[in-house]
Amino acid sequence: ILSRLLADKSPKAHKGGVRALVLAPTRELVMQIAKDGVGLAKYSGINVCPVFGGVDYQKQLGLLQTKKCDVVVATPGRLLDFIGKNAIDLRDCRTLVLDEADRMLDMGFIPDVRRIIGRLPDREERQTLLFSATVPEDVQRLASQWCVKPKVVEAEPEQMAVETVEQTVYLATAEEKYAVLYNLIIDHPDDRIMVFANMKNETKRLANRLERNGIDCLLLSGDVEQAKRASRLEMFRSGKVKVLVATDVAGRGIHIEGITFVVNYT
């Protein structure tokens, strides 16, 4: 995308509108993509602007109105807000990326995405890219609606998780589960451990119980305000805290090196 934008010498390239749009389902993913984008675009004069909820609305709006944004990386809801306020103009956007397209479907974002696509040039006048870990029929249907003669590019994983990950199932009663988790953490004090639970209230109860039992852990769920989510993820990433309890808000596309255990608690 950056190479294409740099090569574009048309008059529209200098008008100041958004030229590429990347949509992702979670704020964490938007922050990560934008951070990588800013790094890659550092010396190119191309501006990459993140747009997501949970942070100061006016501040973000002010930035968009005063700064030329070539590439916008956004969650659908906040982007629609800004489109409604005429703070973002997508008429000259020639590249659309849907990251984690299958997850977008699961989370019910597709009606919002359709409204956003309605503000873009016709599909014949843009390139549309869908990235997806799985390609169910629904994703294929979206590709046929939004793309022109879409090509499927499959990336072979560098290493299959099944081959490199040792998987263990503990058959435990509801009462025994916590003891198994607690002992795993106590037995591996220097290892980084990620614990997933299904519901936000489950993660909160579990994190509280671990804290009461003297285990330093971080909670990451949709109920945690955005600034705290970002700083907690950074603390876990840097190894300051070894245990992270999360819902699947952190389950897709977030890159953290050196995790020894992933526990699917529920």
Side-chain angles (χ1 to χ4, degrees):
I1 289 170
L2 295 173
S3 296
R4 182 176 286 187
L5 295 184
L6 283 169
D8 184 6
K9 303 297 181 206
S10 68
K12 282 185 177 178
H14 304 287
K15 266 175 57 179
V18 176
R19 298 157 69 200
L21 173 65
V22 181
L23 294 175
T26 67
R27 298 161 183 179
E28 282 71 24
L29 207 43
V30 164
M31 288 160 70
Q32 182 174 284
I33 294 166
K35 185 180 171 189
D36 287 345
V38 167
L40 288 165
K42 191 170 180 180
Y43 302 107
S44 68
I46 292 169
N47 285 326
V48 179
C49 304
V51 170
F52 54 91
V55 294
D56 190 312
Y57 187 91
Q58 287 305 327
K59 192 176 170 188
Q60 218 170 57
L61 184 60
L63 261 175
L64 288 170
Q65 288 169 334
T66 56
K67 188 178 175 185
K68 176 173 160 284
C69 290
D70 301 288
V71 182
V72 166
V73 186
T75 50
R78 179 57 68 95
L79 181 67
L80 276 172
D81 261 8
F82 287 150
I83 288 172
K85 289 204 163 39
N86 293 321
I88 288 181
D89 180 359
L90 298 175
R91 284 174 299 183
D92 293 327
C93 180
R94 291 287 182 265
T95 307
L96 169 67
V97 179
L98 285 184
D99 197 18
E100 306 288 2
D102 53 350
R103 191 88 181 87
M104 289 268 205
L105 279 163
D106 293 345
M107 292 171 76
F109 277 129
I110 296 307
D112 282 353
V113 175
R114 283 189 200 285
R115 287 168 63 201
I116 291 162
I117 286 177
R119 301 296 189 113
L120 291 160
D122 291 343
R123 61 182 183 170
E124 291 80 11
E125 295 175 29
R126 64 168 199 263
Q127 183 180 25
T128 306
L129 302 131
L130 284 77
F131 288 86
S132 191
T134 61
V135 188
E137 269 181 45
D138 288 343
V139 172
Q140 289 173 34
R141 240 193 327 273
L142 293 178
S144 65
Q145 286 171 25
W146 294 341
C147 307
V148 180
K149 296 178 185 168
K151 287 188 165 55
V152 177
V153 179
E154 287 190 58
E156 280 295 317
E158 287 173 28
Q159 39 179 226
M160 287 297 286
V162 193
E163 290 167 13
T164 60
V165 175
E166 186 182 323
Q167 304 201 46
T168 308
V169 177
Y170 292 99
L171 298 173
T173 64
E175 288 76 31
E176 292 167 337
K177 274 168 70 167
Y178 179 77
V180 174
L181 174 66
Y182 176 81
N183 287 327
L184 173 78
I185 294 168
I186 291 298
D187 289 347
H188 300 89
D190 297 322
D191 289 328
R192 256 186 278 190
I193 299 173
M194 208 165 186
V195 185
F196 284 111
N198 273 341
M199 315 286 279
K200 291 185 279 194
N201 57 359
E202 282 175 331
T203 53
K204 193 172 183 180
R205 277 201 304 270
L206 188 55
N208 286 343
R209 193 171 175 187
L210 289 168
E211 290 276 3
R212 284 200 305 273
N213 292 150
I215 289 168
D216 192 12
C217 71
L218 297 164
L219 171 66
L220 200 68
S221 78
D223 281 347
V224 178
E225 65 184 67
Q226 185 55 48
K228 283 185 181 168
R229 268 158 63 176
S231 66
R232 287 177 187 182
L233 205 52
E234 210 39 61
M235 282 170 80
F236 184 61
R237 192 178 262 132
S238 66
K240 281 181 188 160
V241 179
K242 303 287 187 190
V243 181
L244 180 71
V245 182
T247 54
D248 67 355
V249 73
R252 263 297 178 95
I254 301 293
H255 302 295
I256 295 168
E257 297 289 329
I259 293 174
T260 316
F261 296 99
V262 175
V263 181
N264 291 311
Y265 191 74
T266 41

